[in-house]
Amino acid sequence: MRFAFLLLMVVPAAFGHTGEAVHSRFSVKENADVDTLLRVSSELSNDCGKWCLLMANRRAHGKDPRKFTLSIDNGRRAGFCKLCGLMHLEVNGYLSRDLQLNRNCVREYADGERKGVEFSLNFDGVVMRTRFWMRPGSPRLWAEVCRSGKSLEPVADVKVGLTALPSFLEVMNGKSRFDGYRRSVRTASRCVKPCKRASVPIRTDDHYFIFQDEDYDGSAIDKGVGPVAVFLEADCKGCVRLNDGWLTDLCLTPNPKKPLRFSLLEYPEERVSNDEFERRVRREELNRE
């Protein structure tokens, strides 16, 4: 009887932990296809959501040189998606897209209940490590960018660009429409309104950034899929870049001597209106890691 009682106490706890755990699937393919020299896929999931990160060394084609790309493939054509790269780095004037990812410099990452992926790129002697992970109980994808101890050169300047396609890419007569949108960005204290072209500086009270569309607000089946968000874990200089085009950018210029940590949020398996998404973001903001 005593054994049965202990078993009843242990088993539900074990089952609960398993249900909340982060699951990771990691794969690397060299010479994956005619366009790709190296392709790395990291799929992370828990009970709250799923993220699939794709890293690739693209082959040169004609006048286009080979390049490195990092994107999210959560199964849709909006938000953080394959149609646009997720993150671009510039370190001491060198661009991540001009580099190549070494097979030995990408691996799975685990720290306690966290699971994810990490990789390093060499910017002419400055090695920058980027790490992505999920943790139990949250739909968010966390990230950290920092200088690696393997660097041979000092880092003087770091720029991090994050890009998303808010809500919808309209197709007219078989062709994608790339301008004429009313994209906006909402933060904790303000809304950066749609405009032709603008580079709006970040304020210290801008802890998160909701990339949304004023027309395709996710409220109905013909209104797109809804917004996405970026959370900053600490104050950071930078700007929001808006235009009437299809993409929205957050450009960050962190202190090069400190890690930059942020997280991403989207709901790829459901349509979420602008208002509902903001309510969820405000709840998430209370759960800083």
Side-chain angles (χ1 to χ4, degrees):
M1 290 293 293
R2 182 180 179 186
F3 176 77
F5 176 74
L6 291 174
L7 186 63
L8 287 172
M9 290 180 65
V10 172
V11 170
F15 282 171
H17 183 271
T18 301
E20 294 179 355
V22 177
H23 305 282
S24 174
R25 295 176 59 187
F26 179 77
S27 68
V28 180
K29 293 183 180 179
E30 298 188 67
N31 297 309
D33 51 49
V34 295
D35 296 318
T36 312
L37 289 163
L38 178 72
R39 177 183 294 152
V40 180
S41 172
S42 174
E43 184 178 290
L44 307 172
S45 63
N46 60 19
D47 287 350
C48 302
K50 181 174 72 174
W51 295 84
C52 183
L53 290 116
L54 300 177
M55 290 152 273
N57 291 337
R58 304 290 182 183
R59 299 178 189 271
H61 284 285
K63 296 181 179 180
D64 296 329
R66 65 182 187 177
K67 62 182 178 180
F68 169 74
T69 61
L70 168 64
S71 59
I72 298 287
D73 182 14
N74 280 349
R76 64 180 187 176
R77 288 171 52 87
F80 301 115
C81 64
K82 289 177 63 177
L83 293 181
C84 58
L86 168 67
M87 187 177 76
H88 312 274
L89 300 180
E90 182 179 339
V91 180
N92 290 359
Y94 294 91
L95 303 176
S96 58
R97 68 169 180 250
D98 296 333
L99 306 179
Q100 292 285 276
L101 178 64
N102 188 308
R103 167 65 182 87
N104 298 321
C105 294
V106 58
R107 63 189 66 82
E108 289 186 277
Y109 162 74
D111 181 9
E113 294 183 310
R114 300 178 183 177
K115 288 185 180 179
V117 63
E118 66 178 25
F119 66 93
S120 298
L121 293 172
N122 191 328
F123 295 80
D124 195 35
V126 177
V127 180
M128 297 295 292
R129 188 200 70 201
T130 300
R131 179 179 287 165
F132 290 95
W133 70 90
M134 289 189 77
R135 62 178 177 84
S138 174
R140 278 194 269 173
L141 179 72
W142 271 267
E144 182 183 79
V145 180
C146 67
R147 179 182 181 273
S148 168
K150 298 180 180 180
S151 297
L152 300 177
E153 299 292 336
V155 55
D157 180 66
V158 175
K159 297 177 182 177
V160 179
L162 299 171
T163 301
L165 193 171
S167 197
F168 191 65
L169 176 63
E170 187 173 299
V171 178
M172 303 177 65
N173 300 321
K175 295 183 179 180
S176 298
R177 179 169 69 88
F178 295 109
D179 55 14
Y181 294 92
R182 292 205 305 142
R183 311 298 200 198
S184 64
V185 175
R186 183 168 292 279
T187 75
S189 61
R190 60 177 172 156
C191 183
V192 182
K193 288 295 186 179
C195 51
K196 275 288 185 180
R197 280 178 177 79
S199 182
V200 180
I202 293 173
R203 301 192 317 208
T204 55
D205 56 353
D206 292 331
H207 303 305
Y208 61 76
F209 304 84
I210 301 175
F211 298 178
Q212 62 186 26
D213 189 282
E214 299 288 313
D215 298 317
Y216 297 106
D217 63 2
S219 61
I221 194 170
D222 59 343
K223 293 291 187 178
V225 296
V228 299
V230 178
F231 297 78
L232 295 182
E233 298 301 306
D235 292 345
C236 183
K237 295 181 179 180
C239 66
V240 173
R241 289 184 181 171
L242 278 178
N243 53 54
D244 64 352
W246 60 308
L247 301 177
T248 299
D249 299 293
L250 178 63
C251 304
L252 304 173
T253 53
N255 184 334
K257 297 181 180 180
K258 295 181 179 181
L260 170 68
R261 182 178 287 189
F262 59 90
S263 58
L264 311 176
L265 178 68
E266 73 173 359
Y267 297 94
E269 297 182 356
E270 61 177 310
R271 180 180 299 105
V272 183
S273 70
N274 289 354
D275 291 342
E276 172 60 22
F277 191 88
E278 184 178 6
R279 284 192 287 270
R280 297 187 188 188
V281 165
R282 291 185 181 275
R283 287 197 299 268
E284 283 289 326
E285 178 67 1
L286 300 176
N287 299 319
R288 289 198 172 211
E289 189 175 62

